[in-house]
Coordinates of all heavy atoms in Angstrom, one line a residue:
L30 N 0.8 -1.2 0.0 CA 0.0 0.0 0.0 C 0.9 1.3 0.0 O 0.5 2.3 -0.6 CB -0.9 0.0 1.2 CG -2.1 1.0 1.2 CD1 -3.0 0.7 0.1 CD2 -2.8 0.9 2.5
F31 N 2.0 1.2 0.6 CA 3.0 2.3 0.6 C 3.7 2.5 -0.7 O 4.0 3.6 -1.1 CB 4.0 2.1 1.8 CG 4.9 3.2 1.9 CD1 4.6 4.5 2.4 CD2 6.3 3.1 1.5 CE1 5.5 5.5 2.5 CE2 7.2 4.1 1.6 CZ 6.8 5.3 2.1
A32 N 4.1 1.3 -1.3 CA 4.9 1.4 -2.5 C 4.1 1.5 -3.8 O 4.6 1.9 -4.8 CB 5.8 0.2 -2.6
G33 N 2.9 1.0 -3.8 CA 2.1 1.0 -5.0 C 1.7 2.3 -5.6 O 2.0 2.6 -6.8
P34 N 1.2 3.3 -4.9 CA 0.8 4.6 -5.5 C 2.0 5.4 -6.1 O 1.8 5.9 -7.2 CB 0.1 5.3 -4.3 CG -0.4 4.2 -3.4 CD 0.6 3.1 -3.5
P35 N 3.2 5.4 -5.4 CA 4.2 6.2 -6.1 C 4.7 5.5 -7.4 O 5.0 6.2 -8.4 CB 5.4 6.1 -5.1 CG 4.8 5.9 -3.8 CD 3.5 5.1 -4.1
V36 N 4.7 4.2 -7.5 CA 5.1 3.5 -8.7 C 4.1 3.8 -9.8 O 4.4 4.1 -10.9 CB 5.3 2.0 -8.5 CG1 5.5 1.3 -9.8 CG2 6.5 1.8 -7.5
L37 N 2.8 3.7 -9.4 CA 1.7 4.0 -10.4 C 1.8 5.4 -10.8 O 1.6 5.7 -12.0 CB 0.4 3.7 -9.7 CG -0.9 3.8 -10.6 CD1 -0.9 2.9 -11.7 CD2 -2.1 3.6 -9.7
W38 N 2.0 6.4 -9.9 CA 2.0 7.8 -10.3 C 3.2 8.1 -11.2 O 3.0 8.8 -12.2 CB 2.1 8.6 -9.0 CG 2.1 10.1 -9.2 CD1 3.1 10.9 -9.1 CD2 0.9 10.8 -9.6 NE1 2.7 12.2 -9.4 CE2 1.3 12.2 -9.7 CE3 -0.4 10.5 -9.9 CZ2 0.5 13.2 -10.1 CZ3 -1.2 11.6 -10.3 CH2 -0.8 12.9 -10.4
Q39 N 4.4 7.6 -10.9 CA 5.5 7.8 -11.8 C 5.3 7.2 -13.2 O 5.7 7.8 -14.2 CB 6.8 7.2 -11.2 CG 7.5 8.1 -10.2 CD 7.9 9.4 -10.8 OE1 7.4 10.4 -10.4 NE2 8.8 9.4 -11.7
G40 N 4.7 6.0 -13.2 CA 4.4 5.4 -14.5 C 3.4 6.2 -15.4 O 3.6 6.3 -16.6
V41 N 2.4 6.7 -14.7 CA 1.4 7.5 -15.5 C 2.0 8.8 -16.0 O 1.7 9.2 -17.1 CB 0.1 7.7 -14.6 CG1 -0.8 8.7 -15.2 CG2 -0.6 6.4 -14.4
L42 N 2.8 9.4 -15.1 CA 3.4 10.7 -15.5 C 4.3 10.6 -16.7 O 4.5 11.5 -17.5 CB 4.1 11.3 -14.4 CG 3.2 11.9 -13.3 CD1 4.1 12.5 -12.2 CD2 2.3 13.0 -13.8
N43 N 5.1 9.4 -16.8 CA 6.1 9.2 -17.8 C 5.6 8.3 -19.0 O 6.5 7.8 -19.7 CB 7.4 8.7 -17.2 CG 8.0 9.7 -16.2 OD1 8.0 10.9 -16.5 ND2 8.4 9.2 -15.1
L44 N 4.3 8.1 -19.1 CA 3.9 7.2 -20.1 C 4.1 7.6 -21.5 O 4.3 6.8 -22.4 CB 2.4 6.9 -19.9 CG 2.0 5.5 -20.1 CD1 1.8 4.9 -18.7 CD2 0.7 5.4 -20.8
H45 N 4.1 8.9 -21.8 CA 4.3 9.4 -23.2 C 5.8 9.5 -23.4 O 6.6 9.7 -22.5 CB 3.6 10.7 -23.4 CG 4.1 11.8 -22.4 ND1 3.8 11.8 -21.1 CD2 4.9 12.9 -22.6 CE1 4.3 12.8 -20.5 NE2 5.0 13.5 -21.4
G46 N 6.2 9.4 -24.7 CA 7.6 9.5 -25.0 C 8.2 8.2 -25.5 O 7.5 7.3 -25.8
K47 N 9.5 8.2 -25.7 CA 10.2 7.0 -26.2 C 10.2 5.8 -25.3 O 10.2 4.7 -25.7 CB 11.6 7.4 -26.6 CG 11.8 8.3 -27.7 CD 13.2 8.5 -28.1 CE 13.4 9.4 -29.3 NZ 14.8 9.6 -29.6
A48 N 10.2 6.1 -24.0 CA 10.3 5.0 -23.0 C 8.9 4.6 -22.5 O 8.7 4.2 -21.4 CB 11.2 5.3 -21.9
G49 N 7.9 4.8 -23.4 CA 6.5 4.5 -22.9 C 6.3 3.1 -22.6 O 5.5 2.8 -21.6
Y50 N 6.9 2.1 -23.3 CA 6.7 0.7 -22.9 C 7.3 0.4 -21.5 O 6.7 -0.4 -20.8 CB 7.4 -0.2 -24.0 CG 6.7 -0.2 -25.3 CD1 7.3 0.5 -26.4 CD2 5.5 -0.9 -25.4 CE1 6.6 0.4 -27.6 CE2 4.9 -0.9 -26.6 CZ 5.4 -0.2 -27.7 OH 4.8 -0.3 -28.9
L51 N 8.4 1.0 -21.2 CA 9.0 0.8 -19.9 C 8.0 1.3 -18.8 O 7.8 0.6 -17.8 CB 10.3 1.4 -19.7 CG 11.0 1.5 -18.3 CD1 11.4 0.0 -18.0 CD2 12.1 2.4 -18.3
W52 N 7.5 2.5 -19.0 CA 6.6 3.1 -18.0 C 5.2 2.4 -18.0 O 4.6 2.4 -16.9 CB 6.5 4.6 -18.2 CG 7.8 5.2 -17.9 CD1 8.7 5.7 -18.8 CD2 8.4 5.4 -16.6 NE1 9.8 6.2 -18.2 CE2 9.7 6.0 -16.8 CE3 8.0 5.0 -15.3 CZ2 10.5 6.3 -15.8 CZ3 8.9 5.3 -14.3 CH2 10.1 5.9 -14.5
A53 N 4.8 1.8 -19.1 CA 3.6 1.0 -19.0 C 3.8 -0.2 -18.1 O 2.8 -0.6 -17.4 CB 3.2 0.5 -20.4
R54 N 5.0 -0.8 -18.1 CA 5.2 -1.8 -17.1 C 5.2 -1.3 -15.7 O 4.8 -2.0 -14.8 CB 6.6 -2.5 -17.4 CG 6.6 -3.2 -18.7 CD 8.0 -3.8 -18.9 NE 8.0 -4.5 -20.2 CZ 9.1 -4.8 -20.9 NH1 10.3 -4.6 -20.3 NH2 9.0 -5.4 -22.0
A55 N 5.7 -0.1 -15.5 CA 5.6 0.5 -14.1 C 4.1 0.7 -13.7 O 3.8 0.5 -12.5 CB 6.4 1.8 -14.1
V56 N 3.3 1.1 -14.6 CA 1.9 1.3 -14.3 C 1.3 0.0 -13.9 O 0.5 -0.2 -13.0 CB 1.1 1.9 -15.5 CG1 -0.4 1.8 -15.3 CG2 1.5 3.3 -15.8
A57 N 1.6 -1.1 -14.7 CA 1.1 -2.4 -14.4 C 1.6 -2.9 -13.0 O 0.9 -3.5 -12.3 CB 1.5 -3.4 -15.5
L58 N 2.9 -2.6 -12.7 CA 3.4 -3.0 -11.4 C 2.7 -2.2 -10.3 O 2.4 -2.8 -9.2 CB 4.9 -2.7 -11.4 CG 5.6 -3.0 -10.1 CD1 5.6 -4.5 -9.8 CD2 7.1 -2.5 -10.1
G59 N 2.4 -0.9 -10.5 CA 1.7 -0.2 -9.5 C 0.3 -0.7 -9.2 O -0.1 -0.8 -8.1
V60 N -0.4 -1.1 -10.3 CA -1.7 -1.6 -10.1 C -1.6 -3.0 -9.4 O -2.4 -3.3 -8.5 CB -2.4 -1.8 -11.5 CG1 -3.7 -2.6 -11.4 CG2 -2.7 -0.4 -12.1
L61 N -0.6 -3.8 -9.8 CA -0.4 -5.1 -9.2 C -0.1 -4.9 -7.7 O -0.7 -5.7 -6.9 CB 0.7 -5.9 -9.9 CG 1.0 -7.2 -9.3 CD1 -0.2 -8.2 -9.6 CD2 2.3 -7.8 -9.9
L62 N 0.7 -4.0 -7.3 CA 1.0 -3.7 -5.9 C -0.3 -3.3 -5.1 O -0.4 -3.8 -4.0 CB 2.1 -2.7 -5.8 CG 3.5 -3.1 -6.1 CD1 4.5 -1.9 -6.1 CD2 4.0 -4.1 -5.1
L63 N -1.1 -2.5 -5.7 CA -2.3 -2.1 -5.1 C -3.3 -3.3 -4.9 O -3.9 -3.4 -3.8 CB -3.0 -1.0 -5.8 CG -2.3 0.4 -5.7 CD1 -3.0 1.4 -6.5 CD2 -2.2 0.8 -4.3
V64 N -3.4 -4.1 -5.9 CA -4.3 -5.3 -5.8 C -3.7 -6.2 -4.7 O -4.5 -6.8 -3.9 CB -4.4 -6.0 -7.1 CG1 -5.1 -7.3 -7.0 CG2 -5.2 -5.1 -8.1
A65 N -2.4 -6.4 -4.7 CA -1.8 -7.3 -3.7 C -2.0 -6.7 -2.3 O -2.2 -7.5 -1.4 CB -0.3 -7.5 -4.0
A66 N -1.9 -5.4 -2.2 CA -2.1 -4.7 -0.9 C -3.5 -5.0 -0.4 O -3.7 -5.4 0.8 CB -1.9 -3.2 -1.0
V67 N -4.5 -4.9 -1.2 CA -5.9 -5.2 -0.8 C -6.0 -6.7 -0.4 O -6.6 -7.0 0.7 CB -6.9 -4.9 -1.9 CG1 -8.3 -5.4 -1.6 CG2 -6.9 -3.4 -2.2
A68 N -5.4 -7.6 -1.2 CA -5.5 -9.0 -0.8 C -4.8 -9.3 0.5 O -5.3 -10.1 1.3 CB -4.9 -9.8 -2.0
F69 N -3.6 -8.8 0.6 CA -2.9 -9.0 1.9 C -3.6 -8.5 3.1 O -3.6 -9.1 4.2 CB -1.5 -8.4 1.8 CG -0.5 -9.2 1.0 CD1 0.5 -8.6 0.2 CD2 -0.5 -10.6 1.0 CE1 1.4 -9.3 -0.5 CE2 0.4 -11.3 0.2 CZ 1.3 -10.7 -0.5
L70 N -4.1 -7.3 3.0 CA -4.8 -6.7 4.1 C -6.1 -7.5 4.5 O -6.4 -7.6 5.6 CB -5.2 -5.2 3.8 CG -3.9 -4.3 3.8 CD1 -4.3 -2.9 3.4 CD2 -3.3 -4.3 5.2
I71 N -6.8 -7.9 3.5 CA -8.0 -8.8 3.8 C -7.6 -10.1 4.5 O -8.2 -10.5 5.4 CB -8.8 -9.1 2.5 CG1 -9.5 -7.8 2.0 CG2 -9.8 -10.2 2.7 CD1 -10.1 -7.9 0.6
A72 N -6.5 -10.7 3.9 CA -6.0 -11.9 4.6 C -5.5 -11.6 6.0 O -5.8 -12.4 6.9 CB -4.9 -12.5 3.8
G73 N -4.9 -10.5 6.2 CA -4.4 -10.1 7.5 C -5.6 -9.9 8.5 O -5.5 -10.3 9.7
L74 N -6.6 -9.2 8.0 CA -7.8 -9.0 8.9 C -8.5 -10.2 9.2 O -9.0 -10.4 10.4 CB -8.7 -7.9 8.3 CG -8.1 -6.5 8.2 CD1 -9.1 -5.6 7.4 CD2 -7.8 -6.0 9.5
I75 N -8.6 -11.1 8.3 CA -9.2 -12.4 8.6 C -8.3 -13.2 9.6 O -8.9 -13.8 10.5 CB -9.3 -13.3 7.3 CG1 -10.4 -12.7 6.4 CG2 -9.7 -14.7 7.6 CD1 -10.5 -13.3 5.0
G76 N -7.0 -13.1 9.5 CA -6.1 -13.7 10.5 C -6.2 -13.1 11.8 O -6.2 -13.8 12.9
V77 N -6.4 -11.8 11.9 CA -6.6 -11.1 13.2 C -7.9 -11.6 13.9 O -7.9 -11.9 15.1 CB -6.6 -9.6 13.0 CG1 -7.1 -8.9 14.3 CG2 -5.2 -9.1 12.7

């Protein structure tokens, strides 16, 4: 949850230009981190 939004934000800001494919991967990584954060927090709350 801490690392996902900055990665997603940097990816979206730098999506245009020559390195757009690289930053598209950063956007995908940011989304994946946010989805993983939701899944981990749900599993943690169930564990608590």
Side-chain angles (χ1 to χ4, degrees):
L30 195 61
F31 180 74
V36 172
L37 181 65
W38 184 252
Q39 277 301 114
V41 168
L42 287 180
N43 295 319
L44 220 101
H45 60 287
K47 290 184 178 180
Y50 287 108
L51 172 70
W52 292 107
R54 291 179 185 165
V56 169
L58 178 65
V60 170
L61 181 69
L62 284 172
L63 288 176
V64 169
V67 170
F69 283 144
L70 289 175
I71 289 173
L74 291 176
I75 290 171
V77 167

